[in-house]
Amino acid sequence: MKISIADSREQFDDTAARRIVDQICHRPDSVIGLSTGRTTGNIHRRVCEIHSSLDFDVSRVTFFGLDEVTGVDREYAGACYKMLLTEIIEGLGVKMENFLMLPTRSDDFDAACRDFVSAIDNRGGIDLLILGLGENGHLGFNQPGSPFNGTACTSLMDSRLEERIRRETATPDDVPLGGVTLGIRDIMHARRIILVANGDNKSDIVREMLCGPVTTDVPASILQLHPDCEFILDSKAASRIDVKQLRNC
Ligand code: GLP
């Protein structure tokens, strides 16, 4: 298992950011999937900083978002579209045609999901996918119990996130909110995956993901079976695992 442990927040952000930069420099027409949340924002900003000093070519890279919040305007600050736009897409000067997102609103989410997967496939499939980790082991909006062979679909969001988004957007209780996400099967088709997790609050689920059984109860446990997945952790998130032992697995 490939596990990298960072000693500081700066090192964590820089390590993950440099993996993205290396991917782009190595293959300038890469298709790269990004995740949103507290873990990845600084990583994205670090990619922009490195870009300002190295000025590598991003004109042929396709970026896409792993998942999206549904039932809100995509300009809402908590929508994945808006977060990725402000954290990395604008900073790198990526053309809008090279930034693919699932919609926040649609009359036909099934069709939107199929189109999204096709658009990624038409660009050659996913070269690198950066994943965050939910405290309950979710990947994107694939909550515990999501099938391992599932493709892009709408899903529930966890109640804490829903509560926060409802508050921030003043969405009444009778208006449904949810998520739309690439499925576990789509995720596992990525040629290369990097999962990033930091902080004490992730230490239990990191242990379950890496040391527990591969089970739909912990969606991220499927990553144990991916042929090219690196886990970038900080020392707090890694505090409940035996890194030396796992590196030999
Ligand atoms: C959210 C997103 C995921 C993200 C995860 C981790 O639910 N849908 O894509 O990876 O939470 O978020 P954070 O980094 O804030 O812990």
Side-chain angles (χ1 to χ4, degrees):
M1 239 180 234
K2 196 169 177 199
I3 302 178
S4 304
I5 311 287
D7 294 325
S8 65
R9 177 76 214 215
E10 290 69 28
Q11 196 190 12
F12 175 81
D13 296 333
D14 190 64
T15 303
R18 284 186 191 279
R19 297 289 192 275
I20 298 173
V21 172
D22 287 349
Q23 174 70 39
I24 297 170
C25 293
H26 177 70
R27 198 177 157 178
D29 61 350
S30 289
V31 175
I32 300 178
L34 301 171
S35 296
T36 50
R38 294 158 298 179
T39 315
T40 48
N42 285 342
I43 295 171
H44 298 155
R45 286 182 273 272
R46 182 71 191 124
V47 171
C48 294
E49 279 172 15
I50 299 171
H51 182 250
S52 343
S53 56
L54 297 183
D55 197 26
F56 49 88
D57 178 24
V58 294
S59 64
R60 289 190 292 140
V61 181
T62 297
F63 286 102
F64 71 89
L66 170 70
D67 55 4
E68 184 54 284
V69 176
T70 63
V72 297
D73 194 287
R74 73 177 191 168
E75 290 299 331
Y76 155 57
C80 302
Y81 167 83
K82 186 68 177 176
M83 289 171 86
L84 291 178
L85 194 70
T86 52
E87 289 169 4
I88 185 166
I89 299 298
E90 288 177 338
L92 292 182
V94 175
K95 285 180 277 183
M96 281 304 113
E97 72 216 44
N98 289 338
F99 176 37
L100 310 180
M101 289 300 293
L102 285 155
T104 58
R105 297 187 199 276
S106 171
D107 294 333
D108 187 348
F109 271 109
D110 288 345
C113 285
R114 281 195 300 275
D115 290 350
F116 187 66
V117 172
S118 297
I120 292 170
D121 285 348
N122 290 341
R123 289 177 185 233
I126 307 169
D127 292 301
L128 172 64
L129 179 57
I130 308 293
L131 295 173
L133 176 65
E135 280 174 44
N136 62 358
H138 72 232
L139 295 177
F141 278 115
N142 294 284
Q143 300 295 349
S146 303
F148 282 156
N149 64 355
T151 186
C153 60
T154 51
S155 174
L156 299 172
M157 60 176 69
D158 64 76
S159 50
R160 264 186 299 174
L161 181 60
E162 176 168 350
E163 206 178 291
R164 196 186 80 210
I165 293 177
R166 228 172 248 296
R167 197 176 54 241
E168 288 178 358
T169 55
T171 304
D173 286 348
D174 57 339
V175 176
L177 290 179
V180 59
T181 181
L182 278 190
I184 302 282
R185 189 176 72 192
D186 308 316
I187 289 173
M188 289 299 279
H189 280 169
R191 285 185 269 281
R192 188 176 156 217
I193 293 177
I194 294 176
L195 181 132
V196 291
N198 62 3
D200 286 325
N201 59 324
K202 298 284 170 79
S203 62
D204 286 336
I205 196 65
V206 161
R207 184 183 159 80
E208 281 191 62
M209 168 180 70
L210 297 177
C211 313
V214 175
T215 163
T216 54
D217 293 342
V218 181
S221 64
I222 190 75
L223 298 176
Q224 292 178 31
L225 304 181
H226 192 279
D228 190 357
C229 180
E230 177 182 5
F231 300 87
I232 299 181
L233 310 172
D234 74 346
S235 40
K236 289 178 179 167
S239 61
R240 303 206 57 221
I241 58 172
D242 182 340
V243 178
K244 272 193 202 133
Q245 194 187 22
L246 283 170
R247 277 187 178 139
N248 293 328
C249 291

